[in-house]
């Protein structure tokens, strides 16, 4: 009977250790891969609008499958901005522009502290531009569907770390999988009006399984 008790005790201890290891493993990979990016760059088409480009995207990854919603805004310099032209952003208001809303699907390959992704999808684009007709400046609006695409390379923390405040000097709290990222985006859209661009990404979120 004593042998039976010893066997049960050993079995219980081994089971407890295995359960704890499984729980810790599951907990270490329990965070989803979901993150957002702000983008600033340059882009445009050869015939309608080119200039400062701003963007925002939200991404969700399952295995290597990446699902993305992005919005992109291209603003051409307004040559009639007047006094506002001495400032950076106001000089790009009131001129030609293109606004895009897109859904994309692609593949994302995660390394230790970086990731590479390639995506394409479907978008709706609103183009606002102007032409001179008989000496008068006429404003036009054109909506069209297109095929957006993008290639991203982002760098983020390789392991869980504590959040740092006060200009990144003072660590607070426990190590967390939530963090920032920095990267480069090559993007564009193929449709009635093609455009291409290059920008810098500044992101935040859960970038891999930690």
């Amino acid at each position: 009977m004593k042998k039976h008790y010893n066997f049960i005790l050993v079995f219980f201890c081994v089971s407890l250790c295995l359960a704890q290891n499984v729980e810790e493993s599951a907990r270490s990979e329990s965070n989803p891969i979901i993150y957002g990016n702000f983008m600033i760059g340059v882009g445009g088409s050869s015939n309608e609008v080119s200039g400062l480009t701003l963007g925002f995207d939200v991404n969700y990854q399952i295995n290597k499958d990446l699902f993305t919603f992005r919005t992109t805004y291209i603003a051409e310099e307004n040559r009639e901005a007047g006094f506002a032209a001495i400032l950076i952003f106001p000089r790009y208001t009131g001129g030609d522009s293109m606004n895009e809303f897109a859904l994309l699907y692609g593949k994302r390959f995660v390394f230790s502290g970086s990731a590479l992704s390639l995506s394409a999808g479907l978008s709706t684009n609103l183009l606002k531009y102007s032409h001179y007709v008989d000496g008068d400046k006429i404003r036009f609006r054109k909506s069209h569907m297109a095929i957006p695409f993008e290639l991203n390379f982002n760098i983020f923390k390789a392991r869980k770390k504590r959040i740092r405040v006060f200009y990144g000097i003072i660590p607070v709290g426990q190590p967390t999988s939530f963090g920032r990222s920095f990267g480069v985006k090559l993007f564009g859209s193929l449709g009635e009006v093609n455009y291409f661009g290059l920008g810098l990404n500044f992101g935040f979120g859960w970038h891999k399984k930690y």
Side-chain angles (χ1 to χ4, degrees), residues 64-67 104-108 118-120:
K64 288 184 173 60
D65 298 318
L66 182 65
F67 302 89
L104 301 95
Y105 165 78
K107 294 293 183 177
R108 183 171 181 262
L118 176 63
S119 302

Side-chain angles (χ1 to χ4, degrees), residues 25-191:
S25 177
R27 185 165 56 246
S28 65
E29 295 193 358
S30 62
N31 68 278
I33 300 180
I34 180 170
Y35 58 94
N37 290 308
F38 293 98
M39 188 270 296
I40 182 169
V42 293
S45 63
S46 59
N47 56 345
E48 292 298 348
V49 56
S50 299
L52 178 69
T53 305
L54 304 175
F56 174 75
D57 59 67
V58 179
N59 305 269
Y60 178 64
Q61 181 176 347
I62 303 176
N63 298 323
K64 288 184 173 60
D65 298 318
L66 182 65
F67 302 89
T68 301
F69 168 77
R70 89 178 187 197
T71 177
T72 307
Y73 182 74
I74 302 174
E76 190 167 283
E77 181 180 355
N78 184 4
R79 302 185 182 279
E80 300 177 356
F83 180 76
I86 66 174
L87 304 175
I88 296 178
F89 289 104
R91 69 189 300 177
Y92 289 95
T93 60
D96 295 351
S97 65
M98 177 184 289
N99 199 4
E100 172 197 73
F101 295 93
L103 292 174
L104 301 95
Y105 165 78
K107 294 293 183 177
R108 183 171 181 262
F109 304 94
V110 179
F111 310 103
S112 176
S114 62
L116 178 69
S117 67
L118 176 63
S119 302
L122 187 65
S123 70
T124 175
N125 295 6
L126 174 61
L127 176 65
K128 299 179 182 180
Y129 62 100
S130 58
H131 285 305
Y132 283 92
V133 179
D134 296 330
D136 296 325
K137 186 177 182 180
I138 307 299
R139 297 281 294 176
F140 298 90
R141 294 168 58 96
K142 179 189 296 184
S143 297
H144 64 276
M145 304 294 290
I147 300 176
F149 64 88
E150 61 180 49
L151 175 66
N152 291 280
F153 178 75
N154 290 322
I155 299 174
F156 44 82
K157 63 183 182 182
R159 62 182 185 278
K160 288 184 178 181
K161 293 182 180 180
R162 300 167 68 184
I163 295 177
R164 292 178 175 270
V165 298
F166 195 64
Y167 301 100
I169 299 176
I170 303 175
V172 296
Q174 297 297 321
T176 176
S177 55
F178 185 88
R180 295 170 293 180
S181 69
F182 172 79
V184 179
K185 179 194 293 285
L186 175 66
F187 59 95
S189 178
L190 302 176

